[in-house]
Amino acid sequence: QSALTQPASVSGSPGQSITISCTGTNSDVGGYNYVSWYQQHPGKAPKLMIYDVTNRPSGVSDRFSGSKSGNTASLTISGLQAEDEADYYCSSYTSSNTLLFGGGTKVTVL
Amino acid sequence: QVLLVESGGGLVKPGGSLRLSCAASGFTFSDYFMSWIRQAPGKGLEWLAYISSSSIYISYADSVKGRFTISRDNAKNSLYLQMNSLRAEDTAVYYCAREDKWLVRGPLQWGQGTLVTVSS
């Protein structure tokens, strides 16, 4: 099964908002509200930022928000900060009873 | 707090085998689904397998089906990944992760990973 489609890179200036897309199919993103987003800094393990499309775990800044429309989920980072520079991955449960990750997006703070 | 510690990584020759372990603490291990995920050097995340709390439900990615086996020992709070017929493309950092109690919705917590290198 192919990875979910994410843009390779997104950039923004401090204070701006950016949005990362995650496109799948009716068999994954579009079929379930089990989309998660992860942040990964170099050399570190991924950290859960959003689960079930829109929910933030305790301790995650409210500058991070998630949404979904059809087969595309999105992660928005508001008030971009230097510490937000990292790789971001989406994941989705699939109709094959598997989990699928996106290819990852590198966020650069200009 | 939740702690997941992987071990068992290292250098192995193509065609060889390796068994990874993940020691869990800080939560009731026997209540949760668990997953293995890997990340090849400079590449993205790849989900490999999950196992339900009582080992009834198990699923694998096509890329490892028939070569890798996920298992758990709830009495030892441990998760395992038996990897056979290893190939160069299996070189990666392998993470264990805690899922939800009732279903796989995406990993909630991750270990720090263990590096597996497949090379002659």
Side-chain angles (χ1 to χ4, degrees):
Chain A
Q1 199 165 8
S2 299
L4 303 174
T5 300
Q6 296 182 233
S9 63
V10 172
S11 62
S13 299
Q16 285 187 329
S17 293
I18 62 169
T19 297
I20 304 168
S21 61
C22 170
T23 301
T25 68
N26 289 334
S27 297
D28 38 69
V29 174
Y32 303 91
N33 286 325
Y34 297 139
V35 175
S36 297
W37 288 92
Y38 301 90
Q39 177 192 65
Q40 186 181 34
H41 288 107
K44 300 295 187 182
K47 174 187 174 184
L48 178 66
M49 305 302 284
I50 296 287
Y51 68 96
D52 294 354
V53 179
T54 60
N55 296 319
R56 258 188 327 273
S58 174
V60 172
S61 171
D62 59 5
R63 299 185 297 104
F64 292 84
S65 62
S67 63
K68 190 182 85 167
S69 177
N71 294 337
T72 298
S74 299
L75 173 72
T76 298
I77 309 175
S78 305
L80 199 62
Q81 299 180 2
E83 69 210 47
D84 300 331
E85 188 162 291
D87 294 326
Y88 291 83
Y89 295 90
C90 61
S91 73
S92 175
Y93 184 73
T94 82
S95 61
S96 301
N97 298 319
T98 63
L99 199 66
L100 196 56
F101 282 97
T105 298
K106 182 177 180 61
V107 168
T108 301
V109 181
L110 302 171
Chain B
Q1 95 255 22
V2 173
L3 192 60
L4 299 167
V5 180
E6 301 92 339
S7 61
L11 177 63
V12 61
K13 289 181 168 53
S17 298
L18 210 56
R19 188 197 197 203
L20 304 184
S21 299
C22 172
S25 60
F27 65 103
T28 305
F29 179 75
S30 58
D31 283 351
Y32 289 84
F33 278 72
M34 298 292 294
S35 283
W36 285 100
I37 299 115
R38 71 182 177 186
Q39 186 170 35
K43 302 297 185 182
L45 301 171
E46 179 186 16
W47 170 82
L48 300 178
Y50 68 70
I51 184 169
S52 63
S53 55
S54 57
S55 303
I56 292 176
Y57 301 107
I58 291 176
S59 180
Y60 295 98
D62 288 344
S63 59
V64 302
K65 198 176 296 184
R67 297 190 302 127
F68 290 10
T69 302
I70 189 172
S71 62
R72 65 192 296 161
D73 185 335
N74 288 340
K76 295 183 178 180
N77 290 341
S78 292
L79 178 72
Y80 305 103
L81 187 68
Q82 177 66 43
M83 304 186 296
N84 299 329
S85 303
L86 283 163
R87 309 163 180 165
E89 53 264 38
D90 295 317
T91 294
V93 173
Y94 285 71
Y95 295 100
C96 78
R98 187 183 84 159
E99 299 281 353
D100 189 60
K101 281 187 179 183
W102 312 115
L103 73 164
V104 172
R105 59 191 342 142
L108 304 178
Q109 280 96 17
W110 301 61
Q112 287 305 302
T114 186
L115 176 63
V116 172
T117 303
V118 184
S119 174
S120 54

